[in-house]
Amino acid sequence: MSEQNPVVVRVKGSFRDAEGREDEILTVARGRHYFHRDKHYVLYDDESLQQGEKTPTILKIGRDAMTLLRRGTVEQEQRFECGAEKCSMYRTPYGNINLAVRTEELVIHYDEGETAGMVDIRYDLFVNGAFQSSNMLHIEIEEYHGGGKRLCVDAP
């Protein structure tokens, strides 16, 4: 395993549900990055899932796929691969939900040995077999150089 580097992770998500309602979410967090066996690993705590709770999150980014792993109050392992539909179980304290994502577009800008990178994903989400929403994720990972700066939550 290579050296872990401090990073800032910005995740901007948007969706349109079956009724046409639209919404956005923006998450900004400090994290760590390392490169191992041809994959980038980005580790951070996501505070947007459960109010007042931090959910440890790992992005495992390869050349042509990304896997989202969450372990904590909620648990999930979801793989995004262009042109494929991938199923998973979303575990919450209130029960489990069967999810499927059909990835329509996946663009990964992350070179080997680089700490900074970007991922764009466009996918449809299905809950228990029924269409839930069309979604877009824009993920930016930047080196964090410290200096006591506050993290900005402005949209990228």
Side-chain angles (χ1 to χ4, degrees):
M1 181 167 56
S2 66
E3 174 185 347
Q4 291 193 17
N5 298 297
V7 293
V8 174
V9 181
R10 287 182 176 80
V11 180
K12 181 179 181 181
S14 61
F15 73 87
R16 178 182 298 195
D17 68 14
E19 285 79 39
R21 290 184 298 253
E22 296 182 12
D23 201 1
E24 287 189 351
I25 187 166
L26 178 65
T27 300
V28 180
R30 288 187 186 152
R32 299 179 317 278
H33 167 274
Y34 66 92
F35 187 78
H36 181 68
R37 294 188 180 169
D38 296 326
K39 290 186 177 54
H40 295 272
Y41 292 83
V42 179
L43 300 79
Y44 67 99
D45 288 331
D46 191 335
E47 296 183 35
S48 69
L49 299 173
Q50 295 273 103
Q51 190 172 8
E53 298 280 333
K54 293 181 179 183
T55 303
T57 301
I58 300 171
L59 303 177
K60 186 168 123 178
I61 305 166
R63 290 187 183 115
D64 55 6
M66 184 185 89
T67 302
L68 168 74
L69 301 145
R70 291 187 170 127
R71 299 286 183 257
T73 306
V74 298
E75 293 187 7
Q76 179 183 23
E77 181 173 333
Q78 188 64 61
R79 183 173 171 87
F80 298 91
E81 188 175 337
C82 196
E85 185 171 312
K86 300 292 183 176
C87 298
S88 70
M89 184 67 65
Y90 187 74
R91 293 174 178 84
T92 76
Y94 311 105
N96 298 337
I97 303 168
N98 291 310
L99 297 182
V101 295
R102 184 178 304 139
T103 306
E104 302 294 333
E105 184 177 13
L106 175 65
V107 180
I108 298 171
H109 297 284
Y110 227 141
D111 294 328
E112 183 174 330
E114 292 293 320
T115 300
M118 188 169 26
V119 178
D120 287 301
I121 307 170
R122 188 169 50 85
Y123 65 97
D124 289 335
L125 175 67
F126 299 84
V127 176
N128 295 324
F131 175 79
Q132 182 69 30
S133 58
S134 292
N135 305 269
M136 290 178 41
L137 283 177
H138 175 76
I139 304 166
E140 292 182 12
I141 298 98
E142 303 174 348
E143 287 187 65
Y144 176 70
H145 299 289
K149 296 188 294 184
R150 292 187 59 208
L151 296 178
C152 296
V153 291
D154 295 335

